[in-house]
């Protein structure tokens, strides 16, 4: 049994077409309406009366996309399923991609599939510049904190979950709004250290029209930076729990000390140069360069330890 989860907020122009595109493809379709203030709810009520496989949930207030997805996942988990596919109600995703993801996931025994729109034919129409640069920043950030260069487009909202993976998802309050895909991708990645999940990526297509954007760029930037720092330390702690990853975790700790020392030495050289503090500016600067190079080399060594697991995670289906 496969289920579909659709998130909707003020989608009166697209929600009916989106639902009807999949009405015969899933045994159960769960729609979470995040307290829309247009005619979305009326459209959903009409569709619900005509189709028995729809489950409509209307939030009592506007919680945000991340909280809405958690509500939808919790509803889906009330009965067993093989796969749960999550899409948005704006009809940006392609029907062919959804059916292809399901087929490939089943053929490859996938536990989780994330999507990547940033390839040659992945974007139809004009993607808003804020989304383009936001995703470029998020992609760089997720590669940095995980050490896994395979992860692309961590803000893409098209997912496929197995029952076991969905049961492990608990979206924190920080990501109740936009940015929740970043959390989902990093959390499932860290879970893969303990459990042999099969995690994949899929090159999907996204069609951009004239949708409203509710993204607050500065808030998202602060959120991703704050979470990434927390994740990095949590990731080190998790790696220290398992013998095959302990060396990587220890190297990460040494790299943090090297970075802090390099910052200290650089600040000392600036104090000597610009604030007339006693000392040898050249010596402080040489120490800065040495420890910053140590930081880079230690990070490379840590990632080489993780190379074996990273080479198996988030490859393309």
């Amino acid at each position: 049994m496969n289920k579909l989860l659709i998130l909707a907020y003020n989608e009166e122009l697209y929600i009916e077409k989106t639902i009807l595109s999949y009405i015969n493809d899933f045994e159960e379709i769960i729609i979470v309406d995040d307290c829309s203030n247009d005619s979305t709810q009326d459209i959903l009520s009409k569709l619900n009366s005509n189709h028995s496989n729809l489950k409509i949930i209307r939030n009592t207030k506007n919680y945000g996309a991340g909280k809405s997805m958690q509500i939808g996942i919790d509803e889906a988990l009330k009965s067993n399923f093989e796969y749960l596919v999550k899409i948005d109600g704006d009809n940006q995703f392609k029907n062919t991609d959804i059916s292809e993801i399901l087929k490939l996931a089943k053929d490859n025994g996938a536990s989780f599939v994330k999507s990547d729109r940033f390839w040659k034919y992945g974007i139809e129409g004009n993607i808003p510049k804020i989304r383009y640069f936001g995703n470029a920043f998020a992609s760089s950030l997720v590669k940095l904190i995980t050490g896994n260069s395979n992860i692309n487009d961590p803000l893409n909202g098209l997912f496929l979950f197995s029952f076991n993976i969905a049961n492990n998802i608990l979206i924190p309050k920080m990501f109740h709004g936009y940015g929740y895909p970043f959390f989902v991708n990093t959390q499932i990645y860290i879970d893969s250290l303990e459990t042999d999940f099969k995690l994949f990526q899929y090159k999907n297509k996204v069609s951009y029209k004239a949708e409203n954007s509710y993204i607050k760029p500065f808030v998202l930037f602060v959120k991703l930076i704050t979470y990434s720092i927390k994740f990095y330390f949590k990731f080190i702690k998790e790696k220290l729990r398992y013998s095959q990853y302990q060396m990587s975790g220890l190297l990460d700790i040494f790299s943090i000390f090297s970075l802090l020392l390099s910052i200290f030495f650089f600040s000392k050289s600036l104090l000597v140069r610009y604030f007339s503090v006693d000392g040898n500016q050249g010596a402080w600067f040489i120490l800065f360069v040495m420890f910053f190079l140590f930081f880079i080399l230690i990070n490379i060594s840590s990632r080489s330890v993780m190379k074996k697991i990273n080479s198996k995670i988030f490859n393309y289906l």
Side-chain angles (χ1 to χ4, degrees), residues 4 22 85-88 93-94 97-98 101 112-117 155-161 180-181 185 202-206:
L4 180 68
Y22 304 102
V85 179
K86 178 267 164 186
I87 66 172
D88 298 320
F93 300 127
K94 302 294 184 182
D97 281 338
I98 308 306
I101 286 176
F112 173 72
V113 180
K114 66 174 295 298
S115 300
D116 175 16
R117 83 197 90 170
L155 295 179
N156 196 312
L158 175 58
F159 297 115
L160 176 144
F161 305 93
Y180 67 92
N185 287 313
Y202 175 81
K203 292 181 178 179
N204 73 314
K205 294 182 180 180
V206 178

Side-chain angles (χ1 to χ4, degrees), residues 163-210:
F163 185 90
N164 289 335
I165 286 281
N167 205 37
N168 287 341
I169 298 296
L170 184 60
I171 298 174
K173 188 175 181 179
M174 176 186 291
F175 286 106
H176 279 182
Y178 192 77
Y180 67 92
F182 191 90
F183 167 80
V184 171
N185 287 313
T186 52
Q187 184 59 49
I188 291 176
Y189 174 76
I190 207 171
D191 288 344
S192 69
L193 297 182
E194 181 177 7
T195 307
D196 189 22
F197 292 132
K198 292 186 177 180
L199 314 180
F200 295 95
Q201 287 187 114
Y202 175 81
K203 292 181 178 179
N204 73 314
K205 294 182 180 180
V206 178
S207 177
Y208 288 93
K209 299 179 278 291

Side-chain angles (χ1 to χ4, degrees), residues 89-293:
D90 53 14
N91 204 39
Q92 285 188 337
F93 300 127
K94 302 294 184 182
N95 299 53
T96 51
D97 281 338
I98 308 306
S99 58
E100 185 71 6
I101 286 176
L102 280 166
K103 179 180 182 302
L104 290 172
K106 187 170 184 178
D107 291 346
N108 291 275
S111 299
F112 173 72
V113 180
K114 66 174 295 298
S115 300
D116 175 16
R117 83 197 90 170
F118 292 103
W119 56 288
K120 185 175 181 180
Y121 303 108
I123 296 174
E124 297 179 353
N126 296 315
I127 181 173
K129 287 184 174 61
I130 189 62
R131 288 182 178 270
Y132 179 83
F133 289 110
N135 274 280
F137 171 73
S139 292
S140 300
L141 198 57
V142 76
K143 294 176 193 293
L144 179 66
I145 62 175
T146 63
N148 189 333
S149 60
N150 295 339
I151 307 176
N152 297 311
D153 195 8
L155 295 179
N156 196 312
L158 175 58
F159 297 115
L160 176 144
F161 305 93
S162 68
F163 185 90
N164 289 335
I165 286 281
N167 205 37
N168 287 341
I169 298 296
L170 184 60
I171 298 174
K173 188 175 181 179
M174 176 186 291
F175 286 106
H176 279 182
Y178 192 77
Y180 67 92
F182 191 90
F183 167 80
V184 171
N185 287 313
T186 52
Q187 184 59 49
I188 291 176
Y189 174 76
I190 207 171
D191 288 344
S192 69
L193 297 182
E194 181 177 7
T195 307
D196 189 22
F197 292 132
K198 292 186 177 180
L199 314 180
F200 295 95
Q201 287 187 114
Y202 175 81
K203 292 181 178 179
N204 73 314
K205 294 182 180 180
V206 178
S207 177
Y208 288 93
K209 299 179 278 291
E211 303 86 354
N212 293 323
S213 178
Y214 303 100
I215 301 173
K216 296 179 180 179
F218 181 74
V219 173
L220 179 61
F221 175 81
V222 173
K223 185 185 298 185
L224 293 183
I225 290 292
T226 303
Y227 171 73
S228 294
I229 293 171
K230 292 180 179 179
F231 172 87
Y232 187 65
F233 286 100
K234 179 182 178 182
F235 191 31
I236 293 173
K237 183 179 179 181
E238 286 296 311
K239 286 194 283 189
L240 293 174
R241 292 177 57 197
Y242 307 106
S243 58
Q244 64 267 46
Y245 310 126
Q246 284 174 351
M247 180 57 71
S248 177
L250 290 172
L251 288 170
D252 287 340
I253 293 172
F254 290 135
S255 76
I256 292 172
F257 282 117
S258 295
L259 178 60
L260 292 175
L261 285 171
S262 68
I263 293 172
F264 171 75
F265 294 139
F266 183 67
S267 65
K268 291 290 286 186
S269 70
L270 291 179
L271 289 172
V272 173
R273 176 69 176 84
Y274 295 106
F275 297 95
S276 301
V277 175
D278 292 336
N280 188 322
Q281 179 192 353
W284 287 121
F285 189 77
I286 290 172
L287 286 171
F288 156 69
V289 173
M290 287 175 56
F291 277 88
F292 190 72
L293 288 174

Side-chain angles (χ1 to χ4, degrees), residues 7-23:
L7 305 187
Y9 176 65
N10 289 349
E11 298 293 356
E12 60 183 4
L13 297 179
Y14 307 108
I15 190 62
E16 182 172 9
K17 184 177 181 181
T18 300
I19 293 172
L20 294 179
S21 296
Y22 304 102
I23 198 68

